[in-house]
Amino acid sequence: MENRTFYNEILTDHNMRPGNKRRIDGANLSMEGINPSCGDHIVLELKEKDGIIVDGGFQGDGCAVSQASADIMLDLIIGRTKKEALALSDIFMRMIKGEASEEEIDRLEEASALRDISHMPARVKCAVLGWHTFEELAGEDL
């Protein structure tokens, strides 16, 4: 029950008060992500300088899970290199599939609250929308 409460508190906080749901002035990387099965969509914007993601934001609409997950992801990747951020994204995707170790999951900080989303198949695509969008965006630019 404690994990469920933790999950709900984090998702509610990031959905109601997303610190990264904003346009990024001077963004040099941008990509739209869409979940066609439910209509959730985001536009992810990143500002990269000297190989570091120095700022990031998103805009869009969707369920609480998709919007909160995108906000949590940005908290985690801002200040990191794309390589570091992609490694965290890989851990997140493996966590959702139940394939990440506890040590790896600990590296995800608040994103680890989404670990049980795999038990809610209808929500998996919502939780990974921002992460998939980031991987496509970062992969294009590598």
Side-chain angles (χ1 to χ4, degrees), residues 71-133:
D71 194 53
I72 291 168
M73 176 198 69
L74 283 161
D75 280 347
L76 191 61
I77 67 171
I78 292 170
R80 299 182 190 269
T81 66
K82 276 196 287 189
K83 184 177 179 180
E84 292 168 332
L86 283 167
L88 291 169
S89 186
D90 176 66
I91 293 170
F92 183 84
M93 296 300 187
R94 289 188 294 108
M95 176 188 75
I96 296 298
K97 296 176 188 173
E99 299 171 357
S101 71
E102 286 301 317
E103 294 78 24
E104 289 174 316
I105 293 170
D106 286 345
R107 293 181 54 205
L108 295 176
E109 300 171 12
E110 282 189 328
S112 68
L114 291 161
R115 75 185 304 169
D116 291 331
I117 208 82
S118 61
H119 303 319
M120 299 173 253
R123 293 294 189 207
V124 169
K125 287 183 180 180
C126 303
V128 301
L129 176 61
W131 300 82
H132 273 305
T133 304

Side-chain angles (χ1 to χ4, degrees), residues 23 27-36 39-46 57-62 67 70 73 125 128-138 140:
R23 298 234 24 168
N28 48 6
L29 301 169
S30 178
M31 180 169 279
E32 183 177 25
I34 299 172
N35 180 352
D40 289 357
H41 76 278
I42 65 166
V43 175
L44 180 63
E45 295 181 327
L46 300 175
F58 74 101
Q59 301 138 66
D61 295 299
Q67 302 298 288
M73 176 198 69
K125 287 183 180 180
V128 301
L129 176 61
W131 300 82
H132 273 305
T133 304
F134 167 68
E135 286 180 344
E136 287 181 43
L137 179 61
E140 270 190 0

Side-chain angles (χ1 to χ4, degrees), residues 5-36:
T5 301
F6 180 65
Y7 163 86
N8 286 335
E9 287 175 4
I10 288 176
L11 253 62
T12 299
D13 184 51
H14 280 276
N15 184 53
M16 300 299 289
R17 292 175 289 286
N20 300 302
K21 193 167 187 174
R22 57 192 169 86
R23 298 234 24 168
I24 301 301
D25 290 333
N28 48 6
L29 301 169
S30 178
M31 180 169 279
E32 183 177 25
I34 299 172
N35 180 352

